[in-house]
Amino acid sequence: MNAAGKGSGGGLSKVQASDALPLPIRHTNLLFSALFMASLVYLMRRWREKIRSSTPLHVVGLAEIFAIFGLIASLIYLLSFFGIAFVQSVVSSSDEEEDFLSHAKTSACSAPSPCTLLGPSEASSEKLPEEDEEIVSMVVAGKMPSYLLESKLGDCRRAAGIRREVLRRTTGRNLDGLPLDGFNYDSILGQCCELPVGYVQMPVGIAGPLVLDGRLYYVPMATTEGCLVASTNRGCKAIAESGGATSVVLRDGMTRSPAVRFPSARRAAELKAFVEAPENFETLSMVFNRSSRFARLQGVHCAMAGRNLYMRFSCSTGDAMGMNMVSKGVQNVLDFLQDDFPDMDVITISGNFCSDKKPAAVNWIQGRGKSVVCEAVIKEEVVKRVLKTNVQSLVELNTIKNLAGSAVAGSLGGFNAHASNIVSAIFIATGQDPAQNVESSHCITMLEAINDGRDLHVSVTMPSIEVGTIGGGTQLASQAACLNLLGVKGSNVDTPGANARLLATVVAGGVLAGELSLLSAQAAGHLVKSHMKYNRSSKDITKSVA
Ligand code: ADP
């Protein structure tokens, strides 16, 4: 049995340092204590007799030699091992207040999964220093919560390495393919990810140049879907060879909607009237705007469900995506309103009328984050040469697929071919919150034949692109490099908010290119062929057919 112990009965046995002893510690302690006392008493008696009979002390018999040996051996044992139980008892009692993680670990191990505890030497990919080995044993034994490693060690890389080894021993599975080194774990502490054990590698491809509003952008896309970057790149080429795309930002405001309850619907309606009254806007914005020098209240839009009131606050947030900022502002207002509406019961700061990371008509209709329209006119010749199709087929396909097809499906904001493909890839590359892909991918793609049916007018309208260039994952090295490539890294000193708005237009431009190319592939019947070329190892090409 190894020192880390084995799980028994599906549970996790506590690992003790004394597990190294051949007998239970209580018995071993008793045995050596008795040996010590017996040897000592025997030797003392013998020495007293020798002194009385004037026999030299160094003349010893066999029994005395055994007694001396027993005394030394028991002394060594008592000095080295006797303290173990005491130390163990101190260590075990001190961690009890914060052991939800060890509970989680224990219950994870109780599951009927193949949860075999491994020892330090079993299939370990790297040898840990001795002091780390001790910490691993403590975490495995539930004596130190895993989430405290960073603060206790003051070394984030070391904490991640130890946590990873704990995971390996607890699950019996190694994480060899998940890299540990080559990442700055300090940069995510308290901001991006808790309990790290490594990082996932994503390839980043470049589509472009995307010619947008007279400037050239090389668009970074993090994806593992073959064909996606190549396809978007082809769309960029068609746009560039037709003179480029243009964009317009219709609105820019992040929203948060607390849910509050009153004793009656009448009282809820009174607060609704109060917050929506134009004469109260100045007071409310003064209170709201205290949250940040970048947060500026734009308006409050209310909805009711019985005696519950949902107040959708909207504010500009500079270059930040803005969820933290708007939440702080809303909290200020709630505290302020509580004085005049003492019967207001705040149920939650986020009552889903916001609406964050869920498909919702409110975002589709009213917008959230940046509302952007991006358009281009693709010349007939480019449609033929680059996109390998013709204007009429494209327009017809768009009507039947993106408009009628999505209507038949009862789609909410999904009147497009694959906006979320491009949105997700750019989001991941630039450190956005990938979960906000849900509403950020709302998009209606319009295709029309113009100039007597020769050329193609294409547009994407995206009402809720939620992006920032400061805060969250945007400050991590790789993501910041991708933002830098686009020239939108960090805060825009001259015009706060300009970087984030520019990024939103690049997202829309990328979607425009992606829509053009995928629709063209479908119109020309090339889709399966190109997927077989770029995505051969994928068994299910329908995943990326959109
Ligand atoms: P979010 O609100 O998107 O969650 P964070 O709160 O993480 O973003 O980051 C925004 C922080 O960055 C705020 O503390 C804000 O004061 C600061 N900041 C600095 N420059 C800007 C800027 N140009 N726009 C927005 N925030 C900025």
Side-chain angles (χ1 to χ4, degrees), residues 87-168:
V87 172
Q88 279 175 177
S89 66
V90 172
V91 171
S92 336
S93 61
S94 67
D95 280 338
E96 268 158 24
E97 75 276 15
E98 289 183 313
D99 64 355
F100 78 81
L101 209 77
S102 61
H103 282 143
K105 174 176 61 56
T106 307
S107 57
C109 270
S110 313
S113 62
C115 180
T116 317
L117 277 178
L118 292 184
S121 58
E122 288 177 56
S124 178
S125 47
E126 59 184 74
K127 180 104 183 75
L128 289 179
E130 207 171 299
E131 63 271 34
D132 288 3
E133 192 60 59
E134 272 171 37
I135 300 169
V136 168
S137 300
M138 285 171 72
V139 180
V140 169
K143 289 174 183 166
M144 183 195 275
S146 174
Y147 65 89
L148 284 185
L149 284 171
E150 276 78 2
S151 58
K152 288 239 154 116
L153 302 176
D155 179 341
C156 294
R157 156 64 183 79
R158 191 175 157 211
I162 288 174
R163 183 175 296 114
R164 188 184 169 93
E165 180 59 15
V166 169
L167 189 64
R168 188 188 70 81

Side-chain angles (χ1 to χ4, degrees), residues 276-527:
E276 287 182 344
E279 62 271 24
N280 292 328
F281 180 76
E282 206 181 314
T283 312
L284 290 178
S285 39
M286 239 174 55
V287 175
F288 185 101
N289 295 349
R290 277 187 216 134
S291 70
S292 160
R293 68 202 150 112
F294 299 100
R296 292 293 169 264
L297 185 66
Q298 295 169 334
V300 191
H301 164 221
C302 296
M304 282 177 57
R307 59 194 180 109
N308 301 305
L309 176 66
Y310 302 83
M311 298 174 279
R312 192 172 188 259
F313 290 82
S314 176
C315 78
S316 56
T317 58
D319 289 304
M321 181 273 289
M323 286 305 308
N324 285 332
M325 223 178 261
V326 67
S327 301
K328 284 186 220 158
V330 167
Q331 189 58 56
N332 290 348
V333 173
L334 289 175
D335 295 344
F336 169 78
L337 291 173
Q338 197 80 68
D339 289 341
D340 288 335
F341 294 86
D343 51 347
M344 176 179 79
D345 181 11
V346 178
I347 303 295
T348 169
I349 188 133
S350 173
N352 278 11
F353 186 45
C354 316
S355 178
D356 195 38
K357 304 176 182 177
K358 291 160 285 275
V362 72
N363 294 336
W364 174 234
I365 296 167
Q366 299 212 335
R368 187 170 198 251
K370 280 82 176 144
S371 304
V372 183
V373 185
C374 186
E375 64 185 336
V377 174
I378 310 298
K379 293 184 186 123
E380 182 183 34
E381 181 269 325
V382 175
V383 171
K384 283 199 179 121
R385 181 171 48 82
V386 178
L387 300 176
K388 316 269 190 268
T389 182
N390 59 69
V391 172
Q392 199 201 336
S393 304
L394 276 172
V395 172
E396 188 181 65
L397 173 66
N398 190 64
T399 305
I400 294 174
K401 173 187 168 73
N402 286 347
L403 305 184
S406 296
V408 167
S411 175
L412 174 58
F415 300 92
N416 59 80
H418 69 151
S420 70
N421 256 339
I422 291 89
V423 171
S424 307
I426 301 177
F427 268 36
I428 295 169
T430 59
Q432 310 306 313
D433 186 338
Q436 290 185 322
N437 159 65
V438 174
E439 59 269 35
S440 297
S441 300
H442 283 343
C443 170
I444 182 162
T445 301
M446 300 291 292
L447 260 60
E448 287 171 69
I450 58 169
N451 300 335
D452 294 328
R454 289 193 313 277
D455 300 331
L456 177 76
H457 183 274
V458 54
S459 69
V460 292
T461 303
M462 304 180 68
S464 43
I465 302 178
E466 295 157 352
V467 288
T469 58
I470 191 163
T474 63
Q475 101 287 355
L476 301 178
S478 317
Q479 291 84 336
C482 291
L483 288 170
N484 193 39
L485 177 71
L486 293 169
V488 295
K489 184 178 146 197
S491 91
N492 188 304
V493 183
D494 300 328
T495 318
N499 280 358
R501 282 192 289 275
L502 186 54
L503 178 59
T505 63
V506 170
V507 171
V511 169
L512 188 80
E515 289 291 277
L516 261 181
S517 186
L518 178 60
L519 286 171
S520 300
Q522 291 192 17
H526 288 165
L527 191 79

Side-chain angles (χ1 to χ4, degrees), residues 10 74 131 151 197 216-217 225 235 248 257 279 320 342 408 419 453 465 468 514 525:
S74 56
E131 63 271 34
S151 58
V197 293
L216 268 55
Y217 299 95
E225 182 180 7
V248 54
S257 166
E279 62 271 24
V408 167
I465 302 178

